[in-house]
Amino acid sequence: MVNPRDLFHSHEKPILEEKGPYTFREVEQKVNLAWHDNGTVSYRRVKFWYFEREMSVGPLTDMVTTINVPVVGSAEFVRGDFFMEWGISDMLSTIEARIFVKRTIGELLFDGYEDTVMDLGSSFEYDEEEEEDPNKVPMDKFGWFYKRNGTSWADGDLSMHTGVDDMSLLGKIASWNKRT
């Protein structure tokens, strides 16, 4: 967005400018494979993303103005609950939260950026057992793929039919995170 200030102060229409592409190569590896007697195999996927500069319009240090997802997400989360809406509105006003942020492509994707809303949200409900949970989403920064590069927690546990008993089931997901 080129004119975030005008949008709120002058009530003008937003002027959008397309950025990109910023191209990444994804490499995936299946790990912790376990073959089961019921004709399924369970595993996790480790994913790696590699920036392809020569296929991109610019470096990951390019700046963009975009929606502040933690702010908009917190408002959407409480929608429909008057008291929660009032509380979030008051909190966002107190911390002078902005609906738009200017960040680098790298921060928005993988590096993450610190945000007061994220800090406040992560301060609630501290549980020692959650610290050890390998599937717990990190909440210290916001980034679309923050702390996901080279990990297996983001996709969870998958169980897939091998087709050994029924070829029509070959490749179909039997369960995800132990849920069918």
Side-chain angles (χ1 to χ4, degrees), residues 34-67:
W35 300 86
H36 305 287
D37 292 335
N38 66 353
T40 63
V41 58
S42 58
Y43 59 92
R44 286 186 151 238
R45 293 189 293 201
V46 175
K47 291 184 177 180
F48 297 90
W49 289 277
Y50 300 97
F51 181 57
E52 298 288 345
R53 175 61 183 99
E54 58 282 347
M55 297 175 71
S56 302
V57 298
L60 296 179
T61 54
D62 283 355
M63 299 291 290
V64 295
T65 301
T66 187
I67 296 288

Side-chain angles (χ1 to χ4, degrees), residues 16 18 21-23 35 76-77 98 112 116 119 124 142 179:
L16 305 176
E18 184 176 341
Y22 294 89
T23 306
W35 300 86
E76 179 61 28
F77 181 74
R98 301 286 175 244
T116 307
D119 290 341
F124 295 106
F142 175 78
R179 291 179 283 209

Side-chain angles (χ1 to χ4, degrees), residues 10 31 41 63-64 81 87 98 118 134 139 155 167:
S10 305
V31 296
V41 58
M63 299 291 290
V64 295
D81 183 324
R98 301 286 175 244
M118 297 291 289
M139 299 295 279
D155 285 349
M167 280 303 287

Side-chain angles (χ1 to χ4, degrees), residues 110-166:
F110 290 99
D111 300 337
Y113 63 90
E114 293 181 7
D115 184 273
T116 307
V117 173
M118 297 291 289
D119 290 341
L120 290 170
S122 65
S123 68
F124 295 106
E125 295 194 34
Y126 175 75
D127 186 356
E128 288 182 21
E129 288 181 19
E130 285 185 6
E131 282 289 311
E132 298 172 12
D133 182 2
N135 296 318
K136 185 175 185 281
V137 177
M139 299 295 279
D140 58 320
K141 291 183 177 183
F142 175 78
W144 291 108
F145 296 98
Y146 176 61
K147 288 194 176 178
R148 292 186 176 167
N149 209 359
T151 65
S152 66
W153 63 265
D155 285 349
D157 296 308
L158 292 158
S159 180
M160 181 181 291
H161 290 281
T162 63
V164 71
D165 295 326
D166 182 351

